[in-house]
Amino acid sequence: WDLGAATGTILPDASGLSHTGTLVNGPTLVSGQFGSALKFNGQTASVNTPPPVVNGKAVLRLTNTATDRSGSALYMNPLSLVDELGTPQSFSTRFTFQMADPSGLGDSDGPGADGIAFMLTNSASRVGGTGGAMGYGGVSPSVVVEFDTFNNDQGSNHVGVSLNGNFNSVAFAPVTPRLNNGAEWTAWIDYDAP
Protein backbone atom coordinates (compact mmCIF):
# COMPACT_ATOMS: atom_id res chain seq x y z
CA TRP A 1 0.00 0.00 0.00
CA ASP A 2 0.98 3.63 -0.42
CA LEU A 3 1.16 4.50 3.29
CA GLY A 4 2.21 8.06 2.51
CA ALA A 5 -1.13 8.65 0.77
CA ALA A 6 -3.28 7.06 3.50
CA THR A 7 -6.35 9.03 4.59
CA GLY A 8 -8.12 8.08 7.81
CA THR A 9 -8.47 4.29 7.78
CA ILE A 10 -8.02 3.86 4.00
CA LEU A 11 -4.73 2.65 2.48
CA PRO A 12 -4.52 3.24 -1.30
CA ASP A 13 -3.31 0.33 -3.41
CA ALA A 14 0.23 0.63 -4.77
CA SER A 15 0.25 -2.62 -6.78
CA GLY A 16 -2.11 -1.55 -9.56
CA LEU A 17 -4.46 -4.44 -8.65
CA SER A 18 -7.14 -2.38 -6.85
CA HIS A 19 -6.37 -3.86 -3.42
CA THR A 20 -7.26 -0.85 -1.29
CA GLY A 21 -6.82 -1.64 2.41
CA THR A 22 -8.98 -0.67 5.36
CA LEU A 23 -7.42 -0.38 8.84
CA VAL A 24 -9.45 -2.39 11.38
CA ASN A 25 -9.31 -2.21 15.20
CA GLY A 26 -6.65 0.41 15.58
CA PRO A 27 -3.43 -0.05 13.63
CA THR A 28 -1.80 3.35 13.35
CA LEU A 29 0.50 5.07 10.87
CA VAL A 30 3.93 5.82 12.33
CA SER A 31 7.33 6.87 11.00
CA GLY A 32 9.14 3.86 9.61
CA GLN A 33 12.65 3.10 8.42
CA PHE A 34 11.71 4.16 4.89
CA GLY A 35 8.80 6.61 5.13
CA SER A 36 5.56 5.60 6.85
CA ALA A 37 4.87 2.26 8.56
CA LEU A 38 1.95 0.54 10.26
CA LYS A 39 1.98 -0.19 14.00
CA PHE A 40 -0.37 -2.99 15.08
CA ASN A 41 -1.67 -3.36 18.63
CA GLY A 42 -0.74 -7.05 18.85
CA GLN A 43 -4.29 -8.28 19.43
CA THR A 44 -6.95 -7.80 16.78
CA ALA A 45 -5.63 -5.05 14.52
CA SER A 46 -5.55 -5.87 10.83
CA VAL A 47 -5.76 -4.46 7.33
CA ASN A 48 -8.73 -5.75 5.34
CA THR A 49 -8.71 -5.84 1.56
CA PRO A 50 -11.20 -7.19 -0.91
CA PRO A 51 -10.01 -10.67 -1.88
CA PRO A 52 -8.43 -11.03 -5.30
CA VAL A 53 -10.63 -12.78 -7.84
CA VAL A 54 -9.18 -15.50 -10.07
CA ASN A 55 -11.37 -17.27 -12.63
CA GLY A 56 -14.45 -15.74 -11.00
CA LYS A 57 -13.56 -16.98 -7.48
CA ALA A 58 -12.41 -14.97 -4.47
CA VAL A 59 -9.00 -16.25 -3.37
CA LEU A 60 -6.57 -15.84 -0.51
CA ARG A 61 -3.18 -15.31 -2.15
CA LEU A 62 -0.36 -16.24 0.22
CA THR A 63 2.52 -15.27 -2.08
CA ASN A 64 3.20 -14.11 -5.59
CA THR A 65 5.39 -16.10 -7.96
CA ALA A 66 8.67 -14.38 -7.11
CA THR A 67 11.46 -16.29 -5.37
CA ASP A 68 12.16 -16.25 -1.63
CA ARG A 69 8.57 -15.59 -0.58
CA SER A 70 6.58 -16.85 2.35
CA GLY A 71 3.04 -16.19 3.48
CA SER A 72 0.59 -17.41 6.07
CA ALA A 73 -3.03 -17.15 7.09
CA LEU A 74 -3.90 -17.70 10.74
CA TYR A 75 -7.28 -18.50 12.27
CA MET A 76 -7.08 -16.62 15.53
CA ASN A 77 -10.09 -18.09 17.38
CA PRO A 78 -9.13 -21.10 19.55
CA LEU A 79 -10.55 -24.42 18.40
CA SER A 80 -10.90 -26.89 21.26
CA LEU A 81 -10.42 -30.58 20.53
CA VAL A 82 -11.98 -31.51 23.89
CA ASP A 83 -15.46 -30.68 25.17
CA GLU A 84 -16.27 -29.12 28.55
CA LEU A 85 -16.02 -32.58 30.20
CA GLY A 86 -12.59 -33.26 28.70
CA THR A 87 -13.87 -35.72 26.10
CA PRO A 88 -11.77 -35.63 22.92
CA GLN A 89 -13.61 -34.20 19.89
CA SER A 90 -13.13 -34.96 16.20
CA PHE A 91 -12.14 -32.33 13.66
CA SER A 92 -12.76 -32.03 9.92
CA THR A 93 -12.00 -29.36 7.32
CA ARG A 94 -11.86 -29.03 3.56
CA PHE A 95 -10.15 -26.43 1.41
CA THR A 96 -9.08 -25.89 -2.17
CA PHE A 97 -5.64 -24.64 -3.11
CA GLN A 98 -3.71 -23.86 -6.27
CA MET A 99 0.02 -23.42 -6.81
CA ALA A 100 0.39 -21.74 -10.17
CA ASP A 101 3.30 -20.37 -12.18
CA PRO A 102 6.14 -22.14 -10.34
CA SER A 103 9.41 -20.31 -10.68
CA GLY A 104 12.81 -19.95 -9.09
CA LEU A 105 14.40 -22.86 -7.32
CA GLY A 106 13.51 -26.29 -8.64
CA ASP A 107 14.40 -29.94 -8.29
CA SER A 108 14.42 -32.96 -10.61
CA ASP A 109 10.76 -32.60 -11.62
CA GLY A 110 10.87 -28.89 -12.48
CA PRO A 111 10.75 -25.39 -11.02
CA GLY A 112 8.96 -24.33 -7.89
CA ALA A 113 9.45 -24.79 -4.18
CA ASP A 114 8.44 -25.50 -1.45
CA GLY A 115 4.71 -26.00 -1.05
CA ILE A 116 2.06 -25.19 1.56
CA ALA A 117 1.16 -26.58 4.97
CA PHE A 118 -1.93 -26.79 7.16
CA MET A 119 -0.93 -26.57 10.83
CA LEU A 120 -2.75 -27.09 14.12
CA THR A 121 -0.97 -25.61 17.12
CA ASN A 122 -1.80 -23.93 20.40
CA SER A 123 0.37 -20.95 19.42
CA ALA A 124 -2.09 -18.78 17.50
CA SER A 125 0.39 -16.18 16.29
CA ARG A 126 3.57 -18.16 15.79
CA VAL A 127 4.88 -18.93 12.33
CA GLY A 128 7.90 -21.16 11.80
CA GLY A 129 10.79 -21.13 9.35
CA THR A 130 10.55 -20.49 5.62
CA GLY A 131 11.81 -22.54 2.69
CA GLY A 132 11.62 -26.26 3.34
CA ALA A 133 10.15 -25.58 6.78
CA MET A 134 7.03 -24.17 5.01
CA GLY A 135 6.03 -21.94 7.92
CA TYR A 136 5.83 -24.72 10.52
CA GLY A 137 9.48 -25.64 11.09
CA GLY A 138 10.31 -25.26 14.77
CA VAL A 139 6.71 -24.75 15.93
CA SER A 140 5.99 -27.14 18.80
CA PRO A 141 3.57 -28.50 19.70
CA SER A 142 2.05 -28.86 16.25
CA VAL A 143 0.44 -31.31 13.86
CA VAL A 144 0.94 -30.46 10.18
CA VAL A 145 -0.35 -31.72 6.86
CA GLU A 146 2.14 -30.59 4.23
CA PHE A 147 1.66 -30.39 0.47
CA ASP A 148 5.34 -30.48 -0.48
CA THR A 149 6.62 -29.66 -3.97
CA PHE A 150 10.38 -29.76 -3.36
CA ASN A 151 12.76 -32.55 -2.40
CA ASN A 152 13.87 -31.34 1.05
CA ASP A 153 13.14 -34.53 2.93
CA GLN A 154 11.21 -37.45 1.46
CA GLY A 155 11.02 -36.55 -2.20
CA SER A 156 9.17 -33.86 -4.05
CA ASN A 157 5.43 -33.83 -4.66
CA HIS A 158 4.04 -35.59 -1.65
CA VAL A 159 1.49 -35.12 1.08
CA GLY A 160 2.93 -35.71 4.53
CA VAL A 161 2.04 -35.51 8.19
CA SER A 162 4.65 -33.88 10.42
CA LEU A 163 4.80 -33.35 14.16
CA ASN A 164 6.19 -30.65 16.43
CA GLY A 165 7.94 -28.55 13.82
CA ASN A 166 10.03 -31.41 12.42
CA PHE A 167 9.69 -31.47 8.64
CA ASN A 168 10.59 -35.15 8.29
CA SER A 169 7.09 -36.54 7.84
CA VAL A 170 5.90 -39.40 10.07
CA ALA A 171 3.61 -40.47 7.21
CA PHE A 172 3.64 -39.45 3.57
CA ALA A 173 2.32 -40.40 0.14
CA PRO A 174 3.71 -39.40 -3.26
CA VAL A 175 1.39 -37.34 -5.49
CA THR A 176 1.20 -37.39 -9.28
CA PRO A 177 0.97 -35.09 -11.20
CA ARG A 178 2.93 -32.21 -9.67
CA LEU A 179 1.13 -30.28 -6.93
CA ASN A 180 2.37 -26.98 -8.43
CA ASN A 181 0.98 -27.66 -11.90
CA GLY A 182 -1.58 -24.85 -11.71
CA ALA A 183 -4.53 -27.19 -11.11
CA GLU A 184 -6.98 -26.71 -8.26
CA TRP A 185 -6.49 -29.35 -5.56
CA THR A 186 -9.02 -30.11 -2.82
CA ALA A 187 -7.81 -31.34 0.56
CA TRP A 188 -9.90 -32.99 3.26
CA ILE A 189 -8.30 -33.18 6.68
CA ASP A 190 -10.03 -35.35 9.27
CA TYR A 191 -9.02 -36.08 12.84
CA ASP A 192 -10.93 -38.91 14.50
CA ALA A 193 -10.83 -38.49 18.27
CA PRO A 194 -9.89 -41.63 20.21
Side-chain angles (χ1 to χ4, degrees):
W1 297 287
D2 183 354
L3 300 181
T7 56
T9 60
I10 304 300
L11 300 177
D13 175 63
S15 70
L17 299 174
S18 299
H19 294 169
T20 299
T22 303
L23 301 178
V24 178
N25 292 328
T28 55
L29 287 167
V30 296
S31 294
Q33 186 172 0
F34 303 103
S36 297
L38 285 173
K39 179 179 179 183
F40 293 87
N41 66 15
Q43 294 295 319
T44 60
S46 62
V47 177
N48 287 352
T49 62
V53 176
V54 177
N55 297 327
K57 297 178 187 175
V59 299
L60 171 64
R61 185 178 309 273
L62 296 179
T63 65
N64 59 21
T65 58
T67 59
D68 296 323
R69 298 288 186 250
S70 64
S72 61
L74 303 174
Y75 181 71
M76 301 303 285
N77 297 327
L79 172 70
S80 180
L81 294 178
V82 295
D83 67 14
E84 60 277 351
L85 300 175
T87 305
Q89 300 295 298
S90 296
F91 169 82
S92 183
T93 190
R94 178 185 67 87
F95 58 93
T96 303
F97 66 92
Q98 178 184 36
M99 291 183 267
D101 302 322
S103 63
L105 194 60
D107 58 10
S108 61
D109 73 349
D114 273 282
I116 65 168
F118 178 90
M119 176 173 64
L120 292 172
T121 182
N122 64 0
S123 177
S125 62
R126 186 160 172 226
V127 177
T130 61
M134 288 190 283
Y136 70 84
V139 177
S140 183
S142 64
V143 176
V144 173
V145 177
E146 67 173 22
F147 303 88
D148 198 335
T149 64
F150 190 75
N151 189 4
N152 290 314
D153 51 6
Q154 294 149 323
S156 58
N157 290 296
H158 68 271
V159 175
V161 176
S162 298
L163 302 174
N164 299 321
N166 183 340
F167 55 90
N168 290 312
S169 299
V170 296
F172 73 98
V175 175
T176 303
R178 297 177 55 185
L179 288 165
N180 59 354
N181 66 356
E184 288 186 4
W185 295 82
T186 299
W188 285 267
I189 298 174
D190 297 307
Y191 166 72
D192 293 323

